[in-house]
Amino acid sequence: MNLLRLEFYKCRRRKIVLVCAAVLAVELIWIGAFFTRQDAEDMKWGWMLLLYNLSTVDAIVLPLSVATLASRNCELEHKGGTWKLLETMVTPVQLYDAKLAWGALVLAVLLIVRSGLFLAVGIAEGFSGPLPLARFGLFTLLSWTVSMMVYALQQGLSLRFANQAAALVCGIAGSFLGILSMLFPPALVRCVPWGYYGLMSLVFMDWNPVTRVTRFYWRWPPVTDVVLLLLWAAVFLIVGRTLFVRKEV
Amino acid sequence: MNIIETHDLCKQYGTALRVSHLDLQVPEGSVYGFLGPNGAGKSTTLKMILGLVRPTAGSIQVLGHTMDRANRLSVLRQVGSLIESPSYYGHLTGEENLRIVQALRGVPERTIREVLQIVRLDGQRGKKVAHYSLGMKQRLGLAAALLGYPKLLILDEPTNGLDPAGIQEMRELICDLPGRFGMTVVVSSHLLSEIDQMADHVAIIREGELVFQDTLEALHGRSRHHLALRTTNNAVARSLLAEKSIACQEEVGYLMLPILSDEIAAQLTRFLAESRLGIVRLEERQKSLEDIFLELTGKAASL
């Protein structure tokens, strides 16, 4: 707990809140712009349309945002050459875990606030149907899990390379692949870590080419996809942590 | 009692043996100068002592404990260090930086103010470290190492990059520590003059090998006196000296002779004058620490 508290202390004046606010602003503008272009017929899908689009926006916005957060937290150690001081007081494993826990908490708060914000938007817009609180809760949990998988990858890169360009380029590529992967066949999407934002979506769209009618429907993420997601996370965690622990300062 | 002992310590990177069979013995309460040219293996050795770099072979004892993975951090609780360059968070103030170290070391909060006073940074504690000068950063690094008043302080090139005033200030601070707080200080440097002014014990390392380890006094004792003779014709003088069985060698226009008694020196000058050679200079010289360092390391020391 002491190390986790210190991670927050170290991130003072690192504009972490600003990064999170920017993520929320981009998502809000994006979704807002989307809904202003919908007609009454489309708006009847209300909550489903919102969650479907949030998954899409997540796939674009979150990979780069997660990369930025991980980089902000790890860069300060490289910049100040603090590894050789810290590792005389704590083990590299403890350091890695504290940074991961910091990322987990920041992302959890960000995504909970994000969900609360869009719930409020939905209520304000007067979306029809009962308030899908449980589905929003699950959506938040799934977004957080995918983000943590990506965070483990980004933290590994940010810790490994002092120059944060590598990690940030990976984040940019992730944002691009995240949205592009939605056009891939499902089997291929499973091979793209950032594609899980779309793969884990609770709402799917069915477009009938004959009637040209679009239909949205709720669905539970397949267990195999959840297992694969956890597997990706485990691989990034184990590899990132091992490389960090083995590195001599 | 030795506060640090290494036995047969080695570090190999690829095929290159950077530290080779090092047996260091650092006496308690001393200022131990660890001297060597750049790239000699000083930092690698100090990092191995701190457990930041894994030795390829050999063992390390610190404060009477053989260092291993299990006890490393508990032993290091009594060790402060400043390796290569100071570690700091530029976006935090000096005091905030020390608060992080204080929390990790688990030492009382009041020590932050105390160490800031010791390194004379008390007036700058609220300033972001990014705005500190290099000398101030170095002093902050020393303050972080001093937190909790450890028994052993390991300082790797603490004066690197400092201006002459900064070097003197840092030197004064370091020299003060054993007397004031009963600390043992290991200080590495490639600056011979620095070690000469700070240390009472010295080890000299060359290409990873220990070439000297003893008191500074013993190192000074190695400096031999000799006579330097300059004549109007050194080549002829040399052959005449050989006839008299006086060994000599020529160095930059001088013939270097062993110390001779006054009587023999007088006879010698007379003999050379009778041989129609003019004596331009005859002076007694002492081998400098610089010469000894050069002899031991094969490299020129920075002064």
Side-chain angles (χ1 to χ4, degrees):
Chain A
M1 278 309 279
N2 190 29
L3 272 174
L4 178 58
R5 189 179 58 80
L6 285 176
E7 285 304 318
F8 281 97
Y9 191 82
K10 282 191 259 182
C11 284
R12 281 176 163 200
R13 303 186 199 104
R14 292 289 289 170
K15 299 185 174 67
I16 301 298
V17 175
L18 193 67
V19 173
C20 295
V23 174
L24 294 176
V26 169
E27 292 208 339
L28 204 60
I29 291 167
W30 197 304
I31 297 286
F34 173 80
F35 274 105
T36 52
R37 283 186 280 113
Q38 305 305 306
D39 54 27
E41 184 62 24
D42 293 328
M43 288 301 277
K44 76 174 186 193
W45 293 107
W47 294 111
M48 279 197 202
L49 198 59
L50 176 62
L51 279 177
Y52 179 81
N53 278 289
L54 267 180
S55 303
T56 311
V57 176
D58 273 3
I60 302 164
V61 175
L62 286 183
L64 184 57
S65 311
V66 168
T68 308
L69 286 172
S71 172
R72 297 292 291 167
N73 182 239
C74 299
E75 187 197 22
L76 52 89
E77 311 289 1
H78 290 299
K79 247 182 170 175
T82 52
W83 301 118
K84 55 188 186 284
L85 173 68
L86 294 174
E87 290 191 16
T88 59
M89 296 178 282
V90 289
T91 63
V93 172
Q94 287 172 317
L95 270 176
Y96 182 92
D97 290 350
K99 292 207 171 286
L100 194 75
W102 177 88
L105 273 176
V106 170
L107 285 171
V109 171
L110 170 66
L111 294 172
I112 288 168
V113 171
R114 192 273 308 265
S115 292
L117 193 68
F118 283 104
L119 263 173
V121 167
I123 294 166
E125 285 287 320
F127 288 161
S128 58
L131 200 63
L133 267 180
R135 289 189 198 272
F136 252 92
L138 181 62
F139 173 71
T140 310
L141 179 67
L142 288 170
S143 293
W144 179 81
T145 312
V146 178
S147 297
M148 279 313 294
M149 179 260 287
V150 175
Y151 192 87
L153 165 68
Q154 292 296 150
Q155 177 168 309
L157 288 171
S158 287
L159 290 176
R160 185 75 188 164
F161 303 106
N163 186 340
Q164 294 301 301
L168 292 174
V169 165
C170 179
I172 294 166
S175 284
F176 178 69
L177 282 171
I179 189 68
L180 197 69
S181 67
M182 289 183 169
L183 308 171
F184 296 169
L188 200 57
V189 183
R190 292 184 180 100
C191 303
V192 182
W194 306 275
Y196 280 77
Y197 284 109
L199 210 59
M200 289 288 130
S201 179
L202 295 178
V203 180
F204 261 48
M205 183 178 70
D206 177 37
W207 183 70
N208 189 324
V210 182
T211 60
R212 292 183 165 270
V213 170
T214 305
R215 188 179 70 86
F216 291 93
Y217 59 94
W218 295 112
R219 62 130 215 185
W220 296 107
V223 177
T224 44
D225 287 350
V226 175
V227 171
L228 276 172
L229 167 64
L230 296 176
L231 210 63
W232 273 109
V235 168
F236 289 143
L237 268 174
I238 292 165
V239 172
R241 190 196 246 203
T242 308
L243 288 176
F244 179 64
V245 169
R246 280 191 187 167
K247 193 177 171 185
E248 288 182 340
V249 295
Chain B
M1 183 205 160
N2 290 324
I3 204 154
I4 299 177
E5 274 188 31
T6 70
H7 299 288
D8 219 16
L9 191 64
C10 298
K11 180 65 188 178
Q12 191 167 348
Y13 288 110
T15 53
L17 199 57
R18 293 282 173 223
V19 174
S20 173
H21 309 285
L22 214 58
D23 291 312
L24 294 182
Q25 290 173 342
V26 180
E28 193 170 359
S30 63
V31 176
Y32 186 90
F34 194 34
L35 188 63
N38 288 329
K42 301 185 297 291
S43 296
T44 308
T45 304
L46 297 182
K47 283 180 180 177
M48 282 195 282
I49 291 169
L50 290 166
L52 299 173
V53 167
R54 283 177 285 277
T56 309
S59 66
I60 300 164
Q61 274 198 346
V62 177
L63 295 150
H65 302 279
T66 302
M67 294 277 276
D68 55 36
R69 271 191 187 181
N71 69 0
R72 186 178 81 90
L73 290 181
S74 65
V75 173
L76 290 181
R77 263 182 228 287
Q78 299 176 74
V79 181
S81 61
L82 171 57
I83 298 294
E84 287 166 346
S85 51
S87 302
Y88 61 87
Y89 299 102
H91 61 289
L92 300 180
T93 66
E95 192 172 3
E96 286 169 344
N97 268 274
L98 291 180
R99 201 166 292 281
I100 291 169
V101 182
Q102 173 258 325
L104 288 172
R105 279 189 176 274
V107 296
E109 223 177 302
R110 64 174 163 75
T111 52
I112 295 175
R113 280 293 180 90
E114 290 170 5
V115 293
L116 278 169
Q117 275 168 3
I118 293 169
V119 301
R120 297 162 212 157
L121 273 180
D122 203 29
Q124 308 288 334
R125 66 175 194 275
K127 196 172 163 182
K128 278 189 194 174
V129 178
H131 302 147
Y132 277 17
S133 68
L134 182 62
M136 287 160 76
K137 285 175 188 162
Q138 206 78 314
R139 279 187 280 151
L140 182 71
L142 182 61
L146 285 173
L147 269 173
Y149 305 106
K151 284 185 181 168
L152 169 65
L153 202 59
I154 295 177
L155 307 173
D156 185 18
E157 310 249 9
T159 57
N160 246 4
L162 299 186
D163 58 19
I167 290 174
Q168 194 183 344
E169 195 171 15
M170 185 60 89
R171 193 191 300 138
E172 282 169 7
L173 280 169
I174 293 168
C175 290
D176 220 20
L177 296 171
R180 233 172 125 185
F181 304 107
M183 290 174 188
T184 304
V185 183
V186 175
V187 56
S188 83
S189 180
H190 61 277
L191 300 170
L192 179 64
S193 57
E194 195 171 277
I195 294 298
D196 193 24
Q197 290 174 68
M198 278 192 287
D200 45 48
H201 284 72
V202 64
I204 300 177
I205 184 174
R206 180 192 61 187
E207 290 169 4
E209 286 179 22
L210 191 67
V211 289
F212 179 84
Q213 180 175 231
D214 208 329
T215 59
L216 190 69
E217 212 179 335
L219 184 66
H220 277 286
R222 284 201 169 199
S223 56
R224 294 187 302 264
H225 290 257
H226 53 259
L227 285 178
L229 171 70
R230 190 168 182 178
T231 67
T232 47
N233 190 336
N234 279 352
V236 174
R238 198 171 176 176
S239 58
L240 290 171
L241 286 169
E243 278 176 28
K244 291 275 178 192
S245 304
I246 297 173
C248 72
Q249 54 186 26
E250 196 162 356
E251 278 179 20
V252 279
Y254 280 87
L255 293 174
M256 310 305 277
L257 281 63
I259 287 290
L260 304 170
S261 65
D262 290 352
E263 194 184 328
I264 293 177
Q267 281 177 14
L268 180 70
T269 49
R270 231 178 2 252
F271 168 65
L272 291 173
E274 284 163 3
S275 307
R276 297 183 179 278
L277 282 176
I279 295 167
V280 182
R281 298 269 192 285
L282 180 60
E283 54 202 43
E284 190 175 325
R285 284 188 186 171
Q286 188 178 10
K287 212 173 212 179
S288 67
L289 270 187
E290 165 82 345
D291 296 328
I292 299 165
F293 183 88
L294 188 67
E295 231 174 59
L296 289 168
T297 64
K299 286 186 183 178
S302 311
L303 285 169

